[in-house]
């Protein structure tokens, strides 16, 4: 007999429901207590509808839960709410209705120095889990976008690995714990998402009897479907020490017909883990022992792509509506059909679908391609997509323009799907598309260079094999160099090599690949939490009250001291000290603005200070605690004492001037080069400002002048600034611009220069633009692909800069004996005279080298059976590289064909110059100058190459030049003697 569980929810803070299990063969049924009668399928549906209506009329209370096995898997197919966007929305709504605050996804660029990218949903809550800052809400729910690249080689190969994915999570900060987390996870899975209970398996930590009994006795999962797993699988740790706890995971069974016997949850062909519950209940000590946490927390993660795969009933995550439209666009460009494609082609299409999501969201969050850090991650992904597209046959833009690009076309499809993930992506579309176009074009050129390098490596392999009488083989490190540095696909390398009769050292390639994989996995792939001295020190220290917007002087109490890195009760003269005050007028470094300087005084009597601390920096730590870093210049500072805190007024004014000038600079840039440009970093210092922004080229002199003109015009207008505190949403609606790298709460500070700019900013600013006095750009340069940097001065620093430049100009006028307006003409004349003199010198050197060459021409050796080959290998003293080239050109024209010339010289300390020149008669015999001289240069600690008939090389070991030239001669003689037979 089948039963139905009708759960009546008590009027409590949370839904405390209870399941009572009944087992019928392989079916999993839940029966109500107190003999609720069996219902027909039709009656059950009516009851379910009635309960849903009741929930609608009593929306202020937690929802009533029902459960029945009578709703078949086929019925759930008719649900139209299984799109990826719907799953995300339903998850967040489910937990919001149960008291959770819905919080936005954090950026992929985390505010955490221990992690390169946001790799987990819990990362934004790390300070709360550590106990460093209190939570503003008892529990929260998020849809967090994440990036992980440690499994990049599994993308497309398995059904579930991704570089970009969304993690749906519910979090409790000391509010509810294990039982409630488990009950809600089950209710969400079986009722909200309608997963058949008999298809769900559970894993728990091997010693976590509490979780086991909740799943078995209260939820009603058969013990046969609950697996106890070890520490490696089901015990979460944040690091060597710190918060930790057991996990429990929910798995979906694609093949329940296989039964219980020998079921392995690690079998990807049968199971997929979709929900992970972490019960953060212990603190791990240095000795490995576990102690219970005062506040037990819940950290969960449900993979959106995995749940979409289950509900949409597709064979892998890639064929869900979250990714498959991107794959279809790539298929269209490649002119292939995904449905009829072979496995290799499908994998390549999946790689493009996955990576393009990661690329678009990374660039949207401010990461630009580069060769370091986060920039390297996005560049590597871009290059992998480009070369994968070429493997699929995509040429140019895929539509006939071979000079075009295809990444922006696919990116537009990603943006179409981004609305409910991050609405700002579409707003940033011009910058994203421009960055992709520029990076793809640059990489295509790199690929072409890789093709040339491959040809050289194959020729060298054939030449070595011929000389050593071995089978030609391309070294594994060379294949990896082509793959990793030049982005040349290994598959193409292998195919081209086989056509030339050259095998590949795949073992060597795999070794190099494994080295890179280990390095990648070691780089910031875990979230590190630790409870060290810093956290202990701050246990009883409240947030610092900042009063520095309106006051530069205040009396405060010393709350805590750190001397030479350790907590202390006092600090004596000469000590490096960190001081925590209950309130402060000192600005702590944030939003690009550096911390204030100044002094702390402890008075003795009415006028004489008993102790003096010079403050040289102020930083924020552990949330909103201000750490005043300085040196005790006099006396002793003690915890609990009152101090007079005084900010250096002149330095504060310099910082205020530069910070407001930064806002004016951003406004001017948007007017001059386009509204799509945005800030990518800043520094507000006492002596200058630095502003990084997205742009693809250097600014023109006319643009510099226009920017400076706008800013100095706004300064002259003497506009009064307006500062307001308002809700974040209101500020955004008003058009306020967020400063790069700044984190915002629900209430934000808005700084407005009326008619010019409005920005969210916690920094200090002038009250009137006239205080800035003047503005001047002192430099503008590129610092990364698509990122420019302007450095400028304003206020007092502007006056100092102008005075210094005037002083230098006067000195220059005195030296050149001209007036200021004649300096440019005089310098141009001097440069022209210098250029003429250098050309005359080079001409004389070349003539000297040619003369030396004419002397040594008679030393050429005649080799071969008919003595038809001329070989000349010589050292030429006191000749630079360019003159050596002239000497070789003279000799190759003087000696009759066939002839081979190799010359070497030492043009300076620690330098070697080599040149090889071969006539057509030598080249036709298979001896190429570029490959030959490159091997010889290696003996001198260098390298080089060039054309088959002429090549140059260099080195750093002059002491090896004589032996290198001897080897060159012997190899040429041997090769040409053999060729001539």
């Amino acid at each position: 007999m089948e039963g139905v569980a009708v759960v009546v929810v008590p009027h409590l803070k949370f839904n405390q429901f209870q399941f009572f299990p009944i087992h019928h063969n392989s079916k999993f049924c839940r029966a109500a207590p107190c003999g609720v009668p069996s219902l027909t399928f039709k009656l059950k549906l009516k009851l379910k509808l009635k309960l849903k209506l009741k929930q609608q009329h009593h929306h202020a209370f937690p929802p009533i839960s029902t459960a029945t096995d009578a709703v078949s898997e086929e019925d759930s197919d008719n649900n139209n709410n299984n799109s990826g966007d719907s799953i995300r929305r339903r998850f967040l709504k489910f937990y919001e209705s149960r008291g959770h605050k819905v919080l936005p996804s954090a950026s992929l660029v985390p505010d955490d120095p221990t992690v390169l990218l946001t790799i987990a949903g819990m990362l934004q809550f790390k300070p709360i889990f550590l106990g460093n800052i209190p939570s503003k809400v008892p529990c929260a729910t998020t849809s967090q976008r994440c990036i992980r690249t440690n499994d990049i080689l599994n993308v497309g190969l398995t059904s579930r690995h991704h570089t970009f994915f969304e993690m749906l999570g519910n979090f409790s900060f000391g509010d509810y714990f294990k039982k409630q987390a488990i009950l809600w996870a089950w209710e969400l899975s079986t009722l909200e998402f309608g997963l058949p209970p008999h298809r769900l398996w559970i894993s728990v930590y091997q010693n976590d009897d509490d979780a086991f009994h909740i799943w078995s006795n209260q939820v009603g999962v058969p013990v046969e479907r609950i697996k106890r797993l070890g520490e490696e699988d089901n015990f979460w740790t944040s690091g060597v020490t710190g918060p930790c706890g057991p996990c429990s995971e929910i798995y979906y069974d694609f093949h329940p017909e296989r039964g219980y016997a020998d079921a392995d949850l690690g079998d990807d062909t049968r199971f997929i883990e979709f929900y992970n519950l972490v019960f953060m209940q212990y603190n791990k000590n240095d000795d490995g022992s576990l102690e219970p946490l005062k506040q037990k927390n819940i950290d969960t993660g449900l993979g959106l792509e995995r749940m979409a795969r289950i509900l949409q009933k597709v064979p892998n995550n890639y064929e869900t509506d979250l990714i498959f439209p991107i794959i279809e666009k790539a298929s269209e460009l490649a002119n292939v059909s995904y449905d009829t494609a072979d496995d290799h082609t499908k994998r390549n299409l999946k790689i493009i679908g996955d990576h393009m999501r990661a690329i678009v969201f990374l660039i949207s969050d401010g990461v630009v391609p580069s060769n370091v850090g986060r920039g390297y991650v996005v560049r590597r992904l871009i290059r992998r997509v480009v070369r994968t597209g070429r493997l699929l046959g995509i040429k140019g833009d895929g539509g006939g323009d071979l000079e075009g690009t295809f990444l922006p076309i696919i990116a537009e499809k990603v943006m179409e799907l981004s609305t409910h993930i991050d609405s700002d992506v579409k707003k940033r579309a011009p910058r994203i598309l421009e960055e992709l176009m520029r990076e793809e074009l640059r990489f295509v050129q790199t690929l072409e260079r890789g093709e040339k390098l491959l040809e050289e490596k194959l020729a060298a392999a054939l030449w070595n094999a011929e000389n050593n009488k071995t089978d030609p083989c391309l070294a594994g490190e060379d294949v990896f160099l082509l793959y990793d540095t030049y982005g040349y696909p290994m598959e193409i390398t292998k195919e081209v090599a086989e056509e030339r009769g050259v095998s590949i050292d795949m073992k060597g390639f795999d070794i190099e690949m494994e080295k890179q994989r280990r390095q990648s996995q070691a780089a910031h792939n875990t979230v590190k939490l630790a409870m060290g001295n810093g956290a202990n020190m701050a246990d009883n220290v409240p947030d610092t009250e900042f009063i520095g917007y309106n006051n530069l002087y205040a009396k405060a109490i010393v709350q805590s001291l750190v001397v030479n890195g350790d907590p202390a009760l006092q600090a004596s003269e000469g000590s490096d000290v960190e001081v925590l005050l209950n309130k402060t007028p000192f600005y702590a470094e944030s939003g690009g603005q550096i911390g204030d300087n100044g002094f702390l005084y402890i008075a003795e009597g009415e006028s004489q200070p008993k102790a003096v601390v010079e403050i040289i920096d102020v930083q924020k730590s552990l949330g909103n605690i201000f750490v005043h870093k300085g040196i005790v210049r006099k006396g002793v500072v003690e915890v609990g004492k009152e101090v007079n805190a005084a900010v250096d007024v002149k330095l504060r004014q310099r910082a205020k001037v530069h910070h407001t000038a930064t806002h004016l600079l951003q406004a001017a840039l948007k007017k001059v080069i386009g509204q799509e440009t945005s800030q990518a970093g800043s520094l507000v210092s006492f002596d200058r400002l630095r502003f990084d922004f997205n742009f693809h080229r250097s600014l023109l002199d006319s643009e510099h002048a226009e920017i400076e003109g706008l800013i100095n015009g706004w300064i002259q207008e003497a506009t009064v600034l307006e500062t307001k505190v308002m809700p974040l949403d209101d500020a955004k609606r008003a058009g306020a611009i967020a400063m790069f790298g700044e984190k915002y709460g629900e209430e934000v500070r808005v700084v407005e220069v009326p008619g010019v700019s409005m920005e969210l900013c916690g920094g200090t600013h002038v009250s009137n633009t006239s205080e800035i006095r003047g503005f001047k750009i002192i430099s503008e340069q590129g610092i990364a692909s698509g990122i420019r940097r302007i450095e400028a001065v304003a206020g007092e620093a502007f006056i100092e800069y102008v005075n210094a430049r005037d002083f230098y100009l006067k000195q220059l006028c005195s030296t050149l004996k001209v007036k200021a307006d004649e300096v440019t003409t005089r310098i141009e004349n001097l440069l022209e005279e210098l250029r003429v003199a250098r050309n005359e010198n080079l001409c004389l050197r070349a003539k000297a080298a040619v003369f030396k060459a004419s002397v040594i021409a008679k030393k050429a050796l005649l080799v071969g059976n008919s003595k038809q080959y001329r070989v000349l290998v010589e050292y030429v003293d006191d000749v630079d590289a360019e003159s050596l080239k002239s000497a070789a050109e003279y000799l190759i024209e003087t000696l009759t064909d066939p002839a081979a010339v190799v010359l070497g010289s030492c043009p300076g300390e620690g330098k070697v110059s080599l040149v090889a020149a071969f006539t057509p008669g030598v080249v036709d015999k298979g001896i190429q100058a570029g490959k030959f001289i490159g091997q010889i240069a290696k003996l001198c600690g260098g390298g080089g190459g060039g054309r088959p008939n002429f090549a140059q090389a260099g080195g750093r070991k002059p002491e090896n030049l004589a032996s290198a030239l001897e080897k060159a001669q012997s190899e040429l003689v041997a090769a040409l003697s053999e060729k001539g037979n």
Side-chain angles (χ1 to χ4, degrees), residues 901-921:
V901 174
V902 175
L903 302 179
S905 68
C906 298
E909 186 175 350
K911 293 182 180 179
V912 172
S913 183
L914 291 162
V915 63
F918 297 166
T919 64

PDB file of all heavy atoms in Angstrom, residues 901-921:
ATOM      1  N   VAL A 901      80.295  29.960 -46.112  1.00  0.00           N
ATOM      2  CA  VAL A 901      81.104  30.855 -45.290  1.00  0.00           C
ATOM      3  C   VAL A 901      80.501  30.940 -43.899  1.00  0.00           C
ATOM      4  O   VAL A 901      79.298  31.154 -43.745  1.00  0.00           O
ATOM      5  CB  VAL A 901      81.173  32.267 -45.907  1.00  0.00           C
ATOM      6  CG1 VAL A 901      81.905  33.225 -44.965  1.00  0.00           C
ATOM      7  CG2 VAL A 901      81.855  32.218 -47.268  1.00  0.00           C
ATOM      8  N   VAL A 902      81.329  30.763 -42.862  1.00  0.00           N
ATOM      9  CA  VAL A 902      80.923  30.964 -41.466  1.00  0.00           C
ATOM     10  C   VAL A 902      81.960  31.847 -40.801  1.00  0.00           C
ATOM     11  O   VAL A 902      83.153  31.515 -40.809  1.00  0.00           O
ATOM     12  CB  VAL A 902      80.804  29.628 -40.700  1.00  0.00           C
ATOM     13  CG1 VAL A 902      80.497  29.900 -39.224  1.00  0.00           C
ATOM     14  CG2 VAL A 902      79.714  28.756 -41.306  1.00  0.00           C
ATOM     15  N   LEU A 903      81.523  32.984 -40.245  1.00  0.00           N
ATOM     16  CA  LEU A 903      82.424  33.921 -39.585  1.00  0.00           C
ATOM     17  C   LEU A 903      81.977  34.139 -38.149  1.00  0.00           C
ATOM     18  O   LEU A 903      80.784  34.103 -37.845  1.00  0.00           O
ATOM     19  CB  LEU A 903      82.437  35.272 -40.311  1.00  0.00           C
ATOM     20  CG  LEU A 903      82.838  35.270 -41.786  1.00  0.00           C
ATOM     21  CD1 LEU A 903      82.766  36.689 -42.342  1.00  0.00           C
ATOM     22  CD2 LEU A 903      84.241  34.688 -41.968  1.00  0.00           C
ATOM     23  N   GLY A 904      82.963  34.385 -37.279  1.00  0.00           N
ATOM     24  CA  GLY A 904      82.652  34.653 -35.885  1.00  0.00           C
ATOM     25  C   GLY A 904      83.504  35.788 -35.359  1.00  0.00           C
ATOM     26  O   GLY A 904      84.623  36.005 -35.819  1.00  0.00           O
ATOM     27  N   SER A 905      82.940  36.527 -34.363  1.00  0.00           N
ATOM     28  CA  SER A 905      83.702  37.612 -33.740  1.00  0.00           C
ATOM     29  C   SER A 905      83.208  37.813 -32.314  1.00  0.00           C
ATOM     30  O   SER A 905      82.169  37.282 -31.930  1.00  0.00           O
ATOM     31  CB  SER A 905      83.537  38.911 -34.530  1.00  0.00           C
ATOM     32  OG  SER A 905      82.208  39.392 -34.416  1.00  0.00           O
ATOM     33  N   CYS A 906      83.981  38.600 -31.552  1.00  0.00           N
ATOM     34  CA  CYS A 906      83.600  38.969 -30.187  1.00  0.00           C
ATOM     35  C   CYS A 906      83.485  40.495 -30.133  1.00  0.00           C
ATOM     36  O   CYS A 906      84.471  41.188 -29.834  1.00  0.00           O
ATOM     37  CB  CYS A 906      84.626  38.470 -29.177  1.00  0.00           C
ATOM     38  SG  CYS A 906      84.808  36.670 -29.145  1.00  0.00           S
ATOM     39  N   PRO A 907      82.305  41.040 -30.418  1.00  0.00           N
ATOM     40  CA  PRO A 907      82.159  42.492 -30.532  1.00  0.00           C
ATOM     41  C   PRO A 907      82.212  43.234 -29.200  1.00  0.00           C
ATOM     42  O   PRO A 907      82.289  44.453 -29.188  1.00  0.00           O
ATOM     43  CB  PRO A 907      80.784  42.653 -31.177  1.00  0.00           C
ATOM     44  CG  PRO A 907      80.043  41.419 -30.812  1.00  0.00           C
ATOM     45  CD  PRO A 907      81.058  40.322 -30.750  1.00  0.00           C
ATOM     46  N   GLY A 908      82.145  42.534 -28.090  1.00  0.00           N
ATOM     47  CA  GLY A 908      82.207  43.173 -26.785  1.00  0.00           C
ATOM     48  C   GLY A 908      82.333  42.141 -25.697  1.00  0.00           C
ATOM     49  O   GLY A 908      82.301  40.924 -25.941  1.00  0.00           O
ATOM     50  N   GLU A 909      82.493  42.590 -24.469  1.00  0.00           N
ATOM     51  CA  GLU A 909      82.673  41.678 -23.345  1.00  0.00           C
ATOM     52  C   GLU A 909      81.425  40.820 -23.153  1.00  0.00           C
ATOM     53  O   GLU A 909      80.311  41.313 -23.056  1.00  0.00           O
ATOM     54  CB  GLU A 909      82.942  42.486 -22.073  1.00  0.00           C
ATOM     55  CG  GLU A 909      83.282  41.598 -20.879  1.00  0.00           C
ATOM     56  CD  GLU A 909      83.660  42.403 -19.646  1.00  0.00           C
ATOM     57  OE1 GLU A 909      83.845  43.639 -19.783  1.00  0.00           O
ATOM     58  OE2 GLU A 909      83.762  41.815 -18.566  1.00  0.00           O
ATOM     59  N   GLY A 910      81.659  39.500 -23.120  1.00  0.00           N
ATOM     60  CA  GLY A 910      80.553  38.579 -22.934  1.00  0.00           C
ATOM     61  C   GLY A 910      79.643  38.451 -24.129  1.00  0.00           C
ATOM     62  O   GLY A 910      78.490  38.020 -23.992  1.00  0.00           O
ATOM     63  N   LYS A 911      80.105  38.820 -25.328  1.00  0.00           N
ATOM     64  CA  LYS A 911      79.264  38.762 -26.517  1.00  0.00           C
ATOM     65  C   LYS A 911      79.938  37.964 -27.621  1.00  0.00           C
ATOM     66  O   LYS A 911      81.156  38.069 -27.815  1.00  0.00           O
ATOM     67  CB  LYS A 911      78.948  40.169 -27.030  1.00  0.00           C
ATOM     68  CG  LYS A 911      78.068  40.985 -26.101  1.00  0.00           C
ATOM     69  CD  LYS A 911      77.756  42.341 -26.709  1.00  0.00           C
ATOM     70  CE  LYS A 911      76.866  43.168 -25.795  1.00  0.00           C
ATOM     71  NZ  LYS A 911      76.582  44.493 -26.382  1.00  0.00           N
ATOM     72  N   VAL A 912      79.130  37.208 -28.346  1.00  0.00           N
ATOM     73  CA  VAL A 912      79.587  36.448 -29.507  1.00  0.00           C
ATOM     74  C   VAL A 912      78.669  36.769 -30.669  1.00  0.00           C
ATOM     75  O   VAL A 912      77.450  36.819 -30.510  1.00  0.00           O
ATOM     76  CB  VAL A 912      79.579  34.928 -29.239  1.00  0.00           C
ATOM     77  CG1 VAL A 912      79.874  34.155 -30.512  1.00  0.00           C
ATOM     78  CG2 VAL A 912      80.567  34.570 -28.145  1.00  0.00           C
ATOM     79  N   SER A 913      79.271  36.991 -31.845  1.00  0.00           N
ATOM     80  CA  SER A 913      78.484  37.222 -33.051  1.00  0.00           C
ATOM     81  C   SER A 913      78.890  36.194 -34.089  1.00  0.00           C
ATOM     82  O   SER A 913      80.088  35.946 -34.293  1.00  0.00           O
ATOM     83  CB  SER A 913      78.714  38.639 -33.579  1.00  0.00           C
ATOM     84  OG  SER A 913      77.905  38.883 -34.709  1.00  0.00           O
ATOM     85  N   LEU A 914      77.895  35.573 -34.736  1.00  0.00           N
ATOM     86  CA  LEU A 914      78.135  34.552 -35.750  1.00  0.00           C
ATOM     87  C   LEU A 914      77.296  34.849 -36.982  1.00  0.00           C
ATOM     88  O   LEU A 914      76.191  35.393 -36.877  1.00  0.00           O
ATOM     89  CB  LEU A 914      77.768  33.158 -35.219  1.00  0.00           C
ATOM     90  CG  LEU A 914      78.659  32.573 -34.121  1.00  0.00           C
ATOM     91  CD1 LEU A 914      77.940  31.437 -33.418  1.00  0.00           C
ATOM     92  CD2 LEU A 914      79.979  32.080 -34.713  1.00  0.00           C
ATOM     93  N   VAL A 915      77.817  34.478 -38.154  1.00  0.00           N
ATOM     94  CA  VAL A 915      77.066  34.626 -39.389  1.00  0.00           C
ATOM     95  C   VAL A 915      77.405  33.468 -40.314  1.00  0.00           C
ATOM     96  O   VAL A 915      78.558  32.988 -40.336  1.00  0.00           O
ATOM     97  CB  VAL A 915      77.372  35.985 -40.059  1.00  0.00           C
ATOM     98  CG1 VAL A 915      78.823  36.069 -40.460  1.00  0.00           C
ATOM     99  CG2 VAL A 915      76.463  36.213 -41.273  1.00  0.00           C
ATOM    100  N   ALA A 916      76.407  32.980 -41.038  1.00  0.00           N
ATOM    101  CA  ALA A 916      76.605  31.903 -42.006  1.00  0.00           C
ATOM    102  C   ALA A 916      76.001  32.330 -43.336  1.00  0.00           C
ATOM    103  O   ALA A 916      74.871  32.815 -43.385  1.00  0.00           O
ATOM    104  CB  ALA A 916      75.954  30.616 -41.526  1.00  0.00           C
ATOM    105  N   ALA A 917      76.771  32.146 -44.439  1.00  0.00           N
ATOM    106  CA  ALA A 917      76.287  32.494 -45.772  1.00  0.00           C
ATOM    107  C   ALA A 917      76.591  31.333 -46.711  1.00  0.00           C
ATOM    108  O   ALA A 917      77.747  30.925 -46.841  1.00  0.00           O
ATOM    109  CB  ALA A 917      76.951  33.779 -46.261  1.00  0.00           C
ATOM    110  N   PHE A 918      75.533  30.758 -47.323  1.00  0.00           N
ATOM    111  CA  PHE A 918      75.705  29.609 -48.216  1.00  0.00           C
ATOM    112  C   PHE A 918      75.197  29.983 -49.607  1.00  0.00           C
ATOM    113  O   PHE A 918      74.148  30.648 -49.742  1.00  0.00           O
ATOM    114  CB  PHE A 918      74.908  28.396 -47.705  1.00  0.00           C
ATOM    115  CG  PHE A 918      75.349  27.874 -46.360  1.00  0.00           C
ATOM    116  CD1 PHE A 918      74.544  26.986 -45.652  1.00  0.00           C
ATOM    117  CD2 PHE A 918      76.567  28.261 -45.792  1.00  0.00           C
ATOM    118  CE1 PHE A 918      74.931  26.486 -44.431  1.00  0.00           C
ATOM    119  CE2 PHE A 918      76.966  27.767 -44.562  1.00  0.00           C
ATOM    120  CZ  PHE A 918      76.146  26.888 -43.868  1.00  0.00           C
ATOM    121  N   THR A 919      75.917  29.558 -50.640  1.00  0.00           N
ATOM    122  CA  THR A 919      75.471  29.779 -52.014  1.00  0.00           C
ATOM    123  C   THR A 919      74.399  28.757 -52.370  1.00  0.00           C
ATOM    124  O   THR A 919      74.225  27.753 -51.663  1.00  0.00           O
ATOM    125  CB  THR A 919      76.649  29.659 -52.990  1.00  0.00           C
ATOM    126  OG1 THR A 919      77.139  28.310 -52.937  1.00  0.00           O
ATOM    127  CG2 THR A 919      77.761  30.642 -52.643  1.00  0.00           C
ATOM    128  N   PRO A 920      73.660  28.958 -53.488  1.00  0.00           N
ATOM    129  CA  PRO A 920      72.598  28.019 -53.876  1.00  0.00           C
ATOM    130  C   PRO A 920      73.090  26.584 -54.022  1.00  0.00           C
ATOM    131  O   PRO A 920      72.356  25.645 -53.730  1.00  0.00           O
ATOM    132  CB  PRO A 920      72.103  28.583 -55.200  1.00  0.00           C
ATOM    133  CG  PRO A 920      72.370  30.057 -55.094  1.00  0.00           C
ATOM    134  CD  PRO A 920      73.665  30.167 -54.342  1.00  0.00           C
ATOM    135  N   GLY A 921      74.348  26.422 -54.486  1.00  0.00           N
ATOM    136  CA  GLY A 921      74.865  25.070 -54.674  1.00  0.00           C
ATOM    137  C   GLY A 921      74.975  24.297 -53.383  1.00  0.00           C
ATOM    138  O   GLY A 921      74.878  23.062 -53.372  1.00  0.00           O
TER     139      GLY A 921
END
